[in-house]
Amino acid sequence: MSTVSKPRGLAGRLVRAFCAVVAALVAVVLASAGWVAYTTAGKVYDVEDAPDAPVAIVLGAQVRDGKPMRFLSGRLDTAIALMAAGKIKAILVSGDADGNSGNEIQAMTDYLIEHGIDPAVIIGDDHGIDTYDTCARAKETFGVERGLIISQTFMYREQ
């Protein structure tokens, strides 16, 4: 018969501490995901189901060579579709104008214009460094009382 011995002494305490930290981190991640799912239930829409709003807020993401990368172009395409469907009247693009990957605001604005959006309905916020700042600034700086926030799921699929 074989036996499995438990680690003893300092090594055993370190293993248990490490396992406890990992378990705590997993619990925090799962609780956060659950909270997001609970609070957004019934508030996440496809373009066809989205309610009308005065403005869509496009959250920034990385650009490369002055062009939006995949996540960002997807967000912008959603804003274009909302505009075409008559669901919004303006688009607030928010991100980091001095980001490591480039000027997100300029890349987003250029993309929207290249895809037929009137520059007069595009508002740029180059201080929306994160989602919280973007939402706070949308309300406090730009007077947005109601809008659609455009992001995406974080599942990656090869297309």
Side-chain angles (χ1 to χ4, degrees):
M1 170 176 13
S2 68
T3 60
V4 177
S5 63
K6 294 182 182 178
R8 297 177 191 257
L10 179 60
R13 286 193 297 270
L14 288 175
V15 167
R16 285 190 298 277
F18 176 77
C19 290
V21 168
V22 169
L25 289 173
V26 168
V28 167
V29 168
L30 291 175
S32 297
W35 179 81
V36 168
Y38 174 76
T39 60
T40 61
K43 298 175 186 170
V44 177
Y45 307 98
D46 289 326
V47 171
E48 305 80 40
D49 302 325
D52 292 352
V55 63
I57 302 167
V58 181
L59 303 174
Q62 287 190 329
V63 298
R64 180 179 293 144
D65 300 325
K67 302 287 183 193
M69 292 180 69
R70 186 168 180 230
F71 276 157
L72 187 53
S73 63
R75 294 174 186 183
L76 294 165
D77 291 340
T78 299
I80 293 165
L82 287 167
M83 185 68 75
K87 303 236 179 200
I88 58 170
K89 305 286 185 242
I91 301 171
L92 173 62
V93 292
S94 184
D96 191 351
D98 298 317
N100 292 334
S101 69
N103 185 335
E104 294 173 12
I105 303 307
Q106 190 62 56
M108 288 190 282
T109 300
D110 291 347
Y111 186 93
L112 291 169
I113 293 169
E114 289 168 11
H115 287 82
I117 300 297
D118 180 357
V121 301
I122 303 169
I123 304 127
D125 175 15
D126 57 0
H127 297 292
I129 306 302
D130 58 33
T131 302
Y132 178 84
D133 288 333
T134 294
C135 293
R137 289 180 51 75
K139 180 171 177 56
E140 296 165 8
T141 304
F142 298 99
V144 174
E145 292 294 325
R146 191 170 59 83
L148 300 174
I149 299 173
I150 301 177
S151 189
Q152 80 286 328
T153 61
F154 290 96
M155 293 172 40
Y156 180 79
R157 290 185 310 192
E158 268 314 310
Q159 293 184 350

